[in-house]
Amino acid sequence: MQREQILEHALNVLEQSGLAATTSLTQLAGATGLEAEQLTRFWPDRDALLYDALRYHGQQIDSWRRQVQLDEHLSAEQKLLARYEVLSEHVSKGRFPGCLFIAACSFYPQPDQPVHQLAEQQKRSSWQFTHEILVDLALDNPSMVADQMELILEGCLSKLLVKRNVQDVATARRLAEDVLGIALCRKNGALA
């Protein structure tokens, strides 16, 4: 079995069961057919596999962000809202990308803990993605607007951890559209 397959499976188990309920390498390995002894050659314990799975997931998200940023067929507004389309698609399939980073910050609250640092890095990367697009739009105070849009996204991801309702993604998207619309109106002098 390939490393990526094990990491994908571990991510799926974590998304379905949560960080707190997944306490061992054996649980994370689940139906892979691998014994704990086989896994310990690569991951000495559950936290090591969790860290590697989240790092792998972060790389997937970073790659997706780069693709979106480089897509010349998308407007800046479409790039900012694309995450909600992808999130909705995944939630409909029982997957919850990004939610694990929100959960990891709560489950590992110590700022010096490697999993917490990894989750915080992913949050910073998300903010930076949003901020860069808002700067390109030449909005007034793009940092504040990025803070608002990321707060909406984090709220959506937090709620998905508990409720797992795809309608929450649509609501978050609408809120993000509204924040962006107000920022664009302010830029164009409509709110002066």
Side-chain angles (χ1 to χ4, degrees):
M1 181 165 275
Q2 296 292 328
R3 175 183 169 271
E4 289 80 16
Q5 290 174 304
I6 295 168
L7 296 175
E8 279 290 340
H9 183 75
L11 284 170
N12 194 28
V13 170
L14 288 164
E15 287 174 347
Q16 298 305 314
S17 303
L19 272 66
T22 314
T23 59
S24 70
L25 271 177
T26 306
Q27 281 179 296
L28 287 175
T32 62
L34 298 174
E35 299 295 326
E37 299 81 41
Q38 293 172 293
L39 294 173
T40 55
R41 284 187 273 164
F42 304 101
W43 301 283
D45 57 28
R46 171 219 184 247
D47 282 355
L49 179 53
L50 171 66
Y51 179 87
D52 204 19
L54 287 176
R55 190 172 54 81
Y56 174 72
H57 188 41
Q59 290 169 345
Q60 291 174 318
I61 294 171
D62 290 342
S63 175
W64 176 84
R65 278 193 208 106
R66 280 190 298 278
Q67 289 174 348
V68 169
Q69 280 184 308
L70 296 173
D71 190 336
E72 296 176 4
H73 297 96
L74 297 176
S75 69
E77 292 87 349
Q78 289 171 321
K79 290 177 182 182
L80 286 167
L81 299 171
R83 61 183 62 166
Y84 294 104
E85 293 169 31
V86 171
L87 186 57
S88 180
E89 181 181 307
H90 283 284
V91 170
S92 296
K93 296 175 184 173
R95 297 297 308 259
F96 303 91
C99 294
L100 291 174
F101 295 110
I102 303 302
C105 282
S106 297
F107 194 75
Y108 296 98
Q110 305 82 8
D112 61 338
Q113 208 284 341
V115 174
H116 181 92
Q117 291 174 347
L118 187 64
E120 284 295 331
Q121 175 57 44
Q122 202 46 232
K123 288 179 175 185
R124 284 190 301 274
S125 295
S126 182
W127 185 91
Q128 191 63 40
F129 168 81
T130 301
H131 187 258
E132 286 175 16
I133 295 171
L134 294 172
V135 167
D136 289 345
L137 284 170
L139 294 181
D140 293 337
N141 201 347
S143 295
M144 180 190 70
V145 178
D147 287 345
Q148 293 169 337
M149 294 189 77
E150 290 303 303
L151 184 62
I152 293 166
L153 179 62
E154 280 195 39
C156 176
L157 294 174
S158 294
K159 194 167 180 189
L160 284 173
L161 282 170
V162 178
K163 299 293 184 181
R164 300 176 181 256
N165 184 351
V166 72
Q167 185 57 41
D168 292 331
V169 179
T171 301
R173 178 192 169 104
R174 182 56 197 250
L175 281 169
E177 287 173 341
D178 290 349
V179 166
L180 183 58
I182 290 169
L184 290 169
C185 286
R186 190 178 301 121
K187 170 190 168 186
N188 296 319
L191 299 177

